[in-house]
Amino acid sequence: MSKYKIAILAGDGIGPEITEEAIKVLKVIEQRNNLELELMHTPFGASAYFSHGHPYPDESKAVCDQADAILKGPIGLSHEASKEIPIDLQPERGALLPMRARYNTYANIRPVSLPKGLAHFSPLKPEVIGEGIDMIMIRELVGGLYFGSKETGVNDEGLRYVKEALEYDENQIAQILHEGFKIAMRRKKVLHNIHKSNVLKSSVLWNEIMDEVKQEYPEVEVIHMLVDAAATHLCLNPTQFDVMVMENMFGDILSDQGGGILGSLGLMPSACLGPEKAYYEPSHGSAPDIAGKGIANPYSMIGSVAMMLEYSFDMFQEAENVWAAMQGVFNDGYSTADLSKPGAGVNMISTVEFGDKVVEKLSAMPTI
Ligand code: IPM
Ligand code: MG
């Protein structure tokens, strides 16, 4: 019997309620697959700041250090509420970025996927969606502007200024590009390289390394695209993309656009992979405006569980089953209020009911 320890960081806003549903799914997976999962709950985010004085307390670091994988809910407060927390202890700067750095989770894998049958969620026309959207955005997660040197002050003319550097070394670039190629090799062998080399020196180096790394993957076709053009192409013709690779900030922005073309960031799970540790999280924020109402769809959180099965535990078929179970619930005509408007012809169910239905579907599927 395989045993895994999973750290559970429920986070803020809708985090706890969608995490509950992901846990239900993990419990079913445990039973069905003869696994032993030790779920270790630990504080993280703004809630941890208020209860423990720090958004990523030492005890949570210790729990995450021991874990085989980490499941993390969304974090953060509304713009106004954030002001109650000193700027460096706000959960994004005080918890999330430090966790990414601690485990060097340089590869952020963000599937942007909408089967044809769910095209009604998307703001795009059915003819644009065609047979469905199915791409993976790969975002470098521990370099670039997010982690570069930062300086603020008052300049010689008495003006307040800021300097924030987009920094990468060749190894950091090569390692994320390898990730892009490996995933492209498992799929259609087409890799979109997203850059801004007409302006940024960082992209010039990025592309130089791209040319070198490409030699190791002769079967993969590389398509270069400027990041601004990619934003347009994502709206006009999203089905041309299969695997996209890009630096941190580009990936932050384009992956949210990915959520936009699907119809909701609520449909965006993700995996953050480092050399020794991985954590899994929805790509979206904590949606404080709908927290506690039971209307948030747990798809991104349960999808993050599916990604954990795939990337941390090599349970490929069970990961597929989890995706299929969720699609199945949508295909049966159910949705939650965050994804669908009343009158959209769907049966509106709550966060908990969605989780229950996923569990029901998954339980009915054969195991290997
Ligand atoms: C994401 C989020 C984070 C980021 C925030 C919460 C710091 O937007 O994972 O995309 O900017 O990386
Ligand atoms: Mg983001």
Side-chain angles (χ1 to χ4, degrees):
M1 181 191 276
S2 303
K3 289 187 184 180
Y4 298 115
K5 290 181 176 177
I6 303 175
I8 306 281
L9 282 44
D12 303 317
I14 59 169
E17 53 198 286
I18 59 175
T19 301
E20 268 314 303
E21 302 316 303
I23 289 174
K24 275 198 233 168
V25 173
L26 276 170
K27 296 237 155 98
V28 174
I29 293 165
E30 182 179 35
Q31 287 162 14
R32 281 164 49 84
N33 295 280
N34 195 26
L35 294 177
E36 200 179 307
L37 300 180
E38 188 185 335
L39 305 183
M40 309 181 295
H41 292 261
T42 195
F44 192 80
S47 49
Y49 170 78
F50 293 119
S51 60
H52 290 68
H54 197 284
Y56 191 14
D58 286 343
E59 65 178 80
S60 299
K61 291 187 181 126
V63 169
C64 293
D65 285 352
Q66 282 175 41
D68 296 301
I70 300 166
L71 183 65
K72 182 202 142 283
I75 49 142
L77 299 176
S78 67
H79 185 70
E80 275 310 308
S82 289
K83 293 180 184 157
E84 289 171 38
I85 307 182
I87 200 155
D88 286 323
L89 290 178
Q90 289 172 0
E92 296 82 353
R93 268 188 218 87
L96 184 55
L97 298 189
M99 186 163 82
R100 288 176 182 172
R102 187 176 184 85
Y103 301 122
N104 186 21
T105 54
Y106 64 88
N108 183 205
I109 316 291
R110 296 193 158 175
V112 181
S113 167
L114 197 68
K116 193 178 179 180
L118 303 183
H120 57 278
F121 284 133
S122 171
L124 302 181
K125 297 191 183 99
E127 59 265 33
V128 175
I129 294 180
E131 291 307 301
I133 297 173
D134 178 22
M135 71 183 93
I136 294 189
M137 291 192 184
I138 302 172
R139 167 188 178 193
E140 200 291 327
L141 201 59
V142 294
L145 281 170
Y146 276 61
F147 289 91
S149 52
K150 293 172 198 293
E151 185 184 301
T152 51
V154 178
N155 68 15
D156 296 344
E157 291 155 53
L159 299 174
R160 285 171 291 171
Y161 77 92
V162 57
K163 240 191 223 177
E164 209 150 47
L166 202 170
E167 293 179 54
Y168 277 110
D169 69 33
E170 58 180 307
N171 289 343
Q172 284 178 299
I173 298 173
Q175 68 181 358
I176 190 68
L177 293 178
H178 278 291
E179 218 53 53
F181 278 105
K182 282 188 207 145
I183 293 183
M185 281 298 288
R186 297 207 296 266
R187 293 173 54 106
K188 294 187 179 157
K189 302 191 171 131
V190 178
L191 177 61
H192 276 82
N193 177 48
I194 308 302
H195 64 88
K196 184 75 186 172
S197 71
N198 51 351
V199 175
L200 300 178
K201 285 283 174 67
S202 51
S203 285
V204 173
L205 179 63
W206 179 281
N207 288 352
E208 254 172 60
I209 310 295
M210 169 50 99
D211 288 342
E212 292 162 20
V213 172
K214 192 167 92 177
Q215 307 302 322
E216 295 178 43
Y217 305 89
E219 286 174 62
V220 176
E221 181 193 358
V222 176
I223 300 175
H224 296 278
M225 197 177 273
L226 292 167
V227 62
D228 46 353
T232 307
H233 281 278
L234 274 170
C235 294
L236 297 182
N237 181 11
T239 58
Q240 73 187 286
F241 297 108
D242 191 56
V243 183
M244 304 168 83
V245 64
M246 64 204 96
E247 71 87 38
N248 202 343
M249 186 83 219
F250 296 167
D252 182 44
I253 297 170
L254 283 195
S255 63
D256 264 35
Q257 195 184 340
I261 65 175
L262 299 185
S264 173
L265 275 176
L267 297 172
M268 294 275 295
S270 85
C272 308
L273 312 175
E276 268 132 44
K277 185 91 70 185
Y279 82 91
Y280 300 85
E281 63 175 358
S283 302
H284 56 74
S286 59
D289 52 323
I290 60 164
K293 295 187 178 161
I295 61 171
N297 201 289
Y299 183 97
S300 59
M301 203 70 202
I302 298 175
S304 296
V305 166
M307 295 189 81
M308 179 185 290
L309 298 180
E310 178 179 349
Y311 288 95
S312 283
F313 306 151
D314 290 337
M315 293 171 64
F316 303 102
Q317 183 55 49
E318 192 69 336
E320 284 297 319
N321 293 340
V322 173
W323 291 119
M326 289 200 291
Q327 312 293 358
V329 177
F330 285 131
N331 288 337
D332 287 351
Y334 295 102
S335 184
T336 47
D338 62 335
L339 294 183
S340 302
K341 296 191 183 61
V346 295
N347 256 322
M348 218 64 95
I349 53 175
S350 67
T351 309
V352 171
E353 287 167 325
F354 191 93
D356 288 343
K357 288 194 181 296
V358 172
V359 161
E360 204 181 294
K361 292 252 179 226
L362 183 61
S363 308
M365 290 178 190
T367 46
I368 7 172

